[in-house]
């Protein structure tokens, strides 16, 4: 037998259920042939003595062949769509002499669905054609001589299937075929275990873009967290895992199942945690312990967590200390004097307490007892320690009551009577005061030698408590009775006091001084902003934005950088709405983002119409930084509200997977949309799209937001051709963008779209966004052409530096190319503002005749016979064609006599067609580059290089 060569590789095996495989049928196949002299069934034995069923037909000499081969009835089982894989050889008609009118190189595949498995007569008219099957490789007489047959493999999809089964039929119309095997199968998503849930074998839908949602069942000893779900895709792949199960108490996850904790271990909570060793003084004997029991004599208090060691009541307190401290920390002596306990007398958790305000001439006894959570459980007697303190030290006498002399909202003057019979000299008085409301927290004190004091710096409208004591060489007296006083004014008085001072000062020294003070104030607050970052409200953060260079428009909200929040969750909370995931229905996967799948689906909102949404998911196994980066985009998007900015519907952060839900844009991203509809739109429609993008950008720049990655791929288009700016997230968008390349300074930048100052020294601004907008205009007008075609990034940078700018795409109105050139001015302050762009485009739309002059109509090259031009970028026609990936037309150019660049620079689109460039895309690419050459030429002439 000749050796078989495979012409097409079979795809990777997919999870499938085989309904028929002729290579594994051991007995006769029993297929029917009509007429009898058409297909021939041949059964040979392989080296393992297994039958090889082959059907052959080769009536290539006779005209009007119509030979049928019909399979047996094949049960459909659960399939909705089936796949038929045919392996066959086919003879090349050219290799057979005298058969040119009769020999064919194809055959036809048919099927017929029926519920009856037996006795169905073959009627060709009942059969539906699936496809005409041709060979990728046919064999010749020479191959036969070399004993090589080229085996073709073709797979066809058939469906949707509805009946119980079906027949296949093969129609030969005069070819020389050997059908070596037929395999019929359907795809399924196979049984799988994910996130501790099992998902059964599932048959995908016929419609290849819709998914089957499957609910998983938790494995033994596991319980549901969020409902576990998977989606079965058309190719038998499981997609978008949602929810999960977790191992119950006493069980831990091992290899996708829940195993019991071993003796000596326990697990007290359901969740993805491992069993833990029993805490000290506890044990577990059996398997699957939820908690460890305490050893004898040890206890666990009611509120003690299972993780805590079992304990017993404490020993009596040791090393009891009681000191009396003077104003300086190193002046401590033994305890004395009046009584205030700081922080409190009972329920102390540290082994220290400060006792103050002892009275003179008194004895104090302190009882000190240690208790713990199990003290009440133990039968052991309670243990109390005692300390006795005597204050009988002959201290100085009391001062008289305090009296207010005068007060303002922020200060008070107090005086008191000197002690009547003081035996020792008075060194000074100590006045203690505190806010009544905050007595336990802090107090202030001041000293004076006179029996009066002025205390300032008080808060207005606040209750204060004052008392005084004397100090003599023997120590302090006890405090005088407390004097309480509420300061006057309202709580803003202090600020207004200062405001008045400022006004008086500035009025005195004039406007210039005010300017200096304000500048200093701004500088100081600017320098200190890191300190206040955590405490700032979004309003204050907005103000910080202004100071960072953005001047807001009155009445327009400004953007707050979520990174200014110390806690990113706060930004999420402030700018986004949390969506209950039960309101979201995921329907299909529409793409893959950096962080996980992007799906389309529906969002239900009570009292509102269900809407179509796009759902970005964060795939499992992320680290906190990825979650923060993922959600940063939502915190930014959530601040915007404009018809040309993609609208955030909300986020799911409280359950897994984390999702960002945005409005659905039916036509996807602008670049691929334009490529798919090359030449389909009117200029006014294209200008309408550009106007939308400019309007969205005007809104962003008014908000103080710099996009940094404005490009057609980051614009989404809805079913009404409305364009919306998307892809926010500052540095992250650049990480995500395949166009972004690393610069010599280490930044990642989409070179072709980025302004020179942003590439060179990272000067990103709304003006650099305007440059990118010019590139988007060019992408739109060229229906998604790649800016600067296949030029390398390095060449793009160099040519921009030399003054080169993209030429107008074919069919581009002059007015639009001029606007592009305006956006690409080297000096960024000369570029138009987005507000100018919007009004310019509005004028064009209102006056469409302004769009009529096209760039190719007005560009004419000055004749310069006999003069060869010197193009810096291209040396020869060949190099030029190589650089624009059009090398295949070198001979066309040469044959037509275009062998110098200046002759090429004069070509029109007709000339390009005439020399044999037939594909419109290629004509477009060549003529665009021809225009570049022309511009370069003009540019060189302007510089005076060529006369
Ligand atoms: N791809 C990414 N985001 C999308 C959206 N909002 N609509 C449609 N496709 C998208």
């Amino acid at each position: 037998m000749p050796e078989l060569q495979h012409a097409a590789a079979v795809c990777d095996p997919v999870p499938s259920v085989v309904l028929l495989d002729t290579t594994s049928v051991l007995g006769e196949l029993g297929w029917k042939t009509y007429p009898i002299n058409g297909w021939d069934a041949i059964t040979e034995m392989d080296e393992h003595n297994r039958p090889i069923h082959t059907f052959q037909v080769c009536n290539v000499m006779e005209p009007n062949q119509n030979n049928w081969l019909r399979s047996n009835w094949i049960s459909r089982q659960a399939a909705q769509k089936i796949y038929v894989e045919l392996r066959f050889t086919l003879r090349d008609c050219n290799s057979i002499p005298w058969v040119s009118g009769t020999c064919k190189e194809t055959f036809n595949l048919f099927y017929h669905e029926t519920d009856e498995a037996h006795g169905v007569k073959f009627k060709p008219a009942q059969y539906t054609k699936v496809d005409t099957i041709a060979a990728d490789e046919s064999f010749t007489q020479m191959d036969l001589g070399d004993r090589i047959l080229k085996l073709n493999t073709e797979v066809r999809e058939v469906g949707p299937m509805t009946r119980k089964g079906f027949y296949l039929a093969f129609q030969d119309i005069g070819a020389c075929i050997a059908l070596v095997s037929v395999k019929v199968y359907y795809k399924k998503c196979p049984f799988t275990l994910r996130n501790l849930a099992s998902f059964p074998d599932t048959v995908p839908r016929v419609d290849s873009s819709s998914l089957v949602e499957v609910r998983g069942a938790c494995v033994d000893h596991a319980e549901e967290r969020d409902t576990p779900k998977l989606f079965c895709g058309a190719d038998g792949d499981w997609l978008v895992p949602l929810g999960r199960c977790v191992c119950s108490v006493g069980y831990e996850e091992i290899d996708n199942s829940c195993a019991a904790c071993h003796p000596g271990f326990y697990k007290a909570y359901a969740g993805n945690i491992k069993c833990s060793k029993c805490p000290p003084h506890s044990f577990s004997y059996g398997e699957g312990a939820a908690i460890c029991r305490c050893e004898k004599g040890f206890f666990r208090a009611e509120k003690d967590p299972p993780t805590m060691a079992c304990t017993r009541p404490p020993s009596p307190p040791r090393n009891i200390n009681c000191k009396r401290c003077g104003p300086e920390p190193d002046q401590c002596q033994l305890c004395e004097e009046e009584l205030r306990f700081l922080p409190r007398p009972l329920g102390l958790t540290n082994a220290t307490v400060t006792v103050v305000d002892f009275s003179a001439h008194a004895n104090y006894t302190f009882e000190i007892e240690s208790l713990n959570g199990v003290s009440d459980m133990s039968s052991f007697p309670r243990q109390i320690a005692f300390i006795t303190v005597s204050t009988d030290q002959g201290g100085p006498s009391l001062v008289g009551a305090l009296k207010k002399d005068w007060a303002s909202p922020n200060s008070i003057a107090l005086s008191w009577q000197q002690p009547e019979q003081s035996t020792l000299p008075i060194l000074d008085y100590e006045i203690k005061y505190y806010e009544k409301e905050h007595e336990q927290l802090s107090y202030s004190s001041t000293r004076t030698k006179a029996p009066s004091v002025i205390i300032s710096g008080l808060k207005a409208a606040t209750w204060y408590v004052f008392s005084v004591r004397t100090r003599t060489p023997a120590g302090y007296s006890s405090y005088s009775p407390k004097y309480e006083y509420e300061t006057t004014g309202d709580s803003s008085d202090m600020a207004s006091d200062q405001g008045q001072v400022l006004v008086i000062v500035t009025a005195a020294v004039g406007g210039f001084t005010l300017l200096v003070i304000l500048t200093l104030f701004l500088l100081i607050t600017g320098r200190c902003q890191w300190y206040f970052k955590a405490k700032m409200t979004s309003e204050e953060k907005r103000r910080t934005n202004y100071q960072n260079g953005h001047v807001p428009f009155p009445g327009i909200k400004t953007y707050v950088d979520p990174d200014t929040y110390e806690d990113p969750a706060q930004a999420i909370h402030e700018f986004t709405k949390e969506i209950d995931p039960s309101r979201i229905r995921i329907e299909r996967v529409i793409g893959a983002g950096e962080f996980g799948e992007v799906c389309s689906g529906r969002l239900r909102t009570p009292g509102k119409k269900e809407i179509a949404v796009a759902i970005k998911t964060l795939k499992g196994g992320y680290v906190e930084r990825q979650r923060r980066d993922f959600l940063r985009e939502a915190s930014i998007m959530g601040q915007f509200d404009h018809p040309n900015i993609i609208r955030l519907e909300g986020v799911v952060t409280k359950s897994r997977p984390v999702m960002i839900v945005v409005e659905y844009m039916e036509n996807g991203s602008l670049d691929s949309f334009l490529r798919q509809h090359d030449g389909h739109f009117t200029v006014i429609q294209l200008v309408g799209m550009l106007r939308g993008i400019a309007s969205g950008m005007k809104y962003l720049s008014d908000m103080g937001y710099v996009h940094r990655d404005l490009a057609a791929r980051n614009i989404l288009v809805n079913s009404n051709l409305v364009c919306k700016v998307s892809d926010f997230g500052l540095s992250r968008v650049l990480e995500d963008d395949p166009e972004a390349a690393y610069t010599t300074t280490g930044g990642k930048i989409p070179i072709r779209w980025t302004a020179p100052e942003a590439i060179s020294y990272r000067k990103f601004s709304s003006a650099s966004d305007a440059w990118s907008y010019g590139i988007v205009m060019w992408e739109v007008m060229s229906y998604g052409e790649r800016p600067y075609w296949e030029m390398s990034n390095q060449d793009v940078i160099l040519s921009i530096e030399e003054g080169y700018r993209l030429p107008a795409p074919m069919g581009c109105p002059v007015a639009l190319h001029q606007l592009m050139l305006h956006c690409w001015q080297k000096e960024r302050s000369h570029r138009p503002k987005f507000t100018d762009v919007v009004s310019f485009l509005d004028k064009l739309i209102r006056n469409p005749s302004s769009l009529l002059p096209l760039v190719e109509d007005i560009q004419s090259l000055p004749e310069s016979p006999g003069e060869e031009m010197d193009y810096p970028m291209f040396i020869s026609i060949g190099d030029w064609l190589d650089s624009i990936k059009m090398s295949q037309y070198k001979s066309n150019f040469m044959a037509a006599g275009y062998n110098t660049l200046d002759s090429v620079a004069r070509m029109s689109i007709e000339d390009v067609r005439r020399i044999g460039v037939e594909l419109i895309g290629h004509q477009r690419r060549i003529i665009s580059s021809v225009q570049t050459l022309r511009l370069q030429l003009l540019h060189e002439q302007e510089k005076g290089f060529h006369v």
Side-chain angles (χ1 to χ4, degrees), residues 590 598 614 616 646 662-665 668 716:
I590 54 174
V598 182
K616 293 187 178 186
I646 199 83
V662 299
E663 66 180 306
Y664 184 63
M665 302 291 284
L716 289 165

Side-chain angles (χ1 to χ4, degrees), residues 65-66 99 180 279 286 355 405 428 602 721 788 793 795 811 944-945:
Q65 291 298 303
N66 187 17
V99 294
V180 177
V355 186
D405 296 333
D428 55 21
R602 316 280 303 172
L721 293 193
Y788 311 94
N793 280 346
D795 285 347
F945 292 157

Side-chain angles (χ1 to χ4, degrees), residues 33-41 56-59 65-68 172:
T33 57
Y34 311 89
I36 291 298
N37 61 348
W39 289 89
D40 206 1
Q56 298 185 358
V57 62
C58 196
N59 299 347
Q65 291 298 303
N66 187 17
N67 305 311
W68 289 83
D172 163 55

Side-chain angles (χ1 to χ4, degrees), residues 669-695:
S669 59
L670 178 61
D671 62 335
S672 49
F673 175 67
L674 289 170
R675 277 180 216 127
Q676 282 158 20
H677 298 87
D678 194 352
H680 281 196
F681 301 113
T682 62
V683 168
I684 287 287
Q685 277 176 308
L686 296 177
V687 176
M689 294 180 199
L690 290 173
R691 196 262 177 215
I693 302 166
S695 172

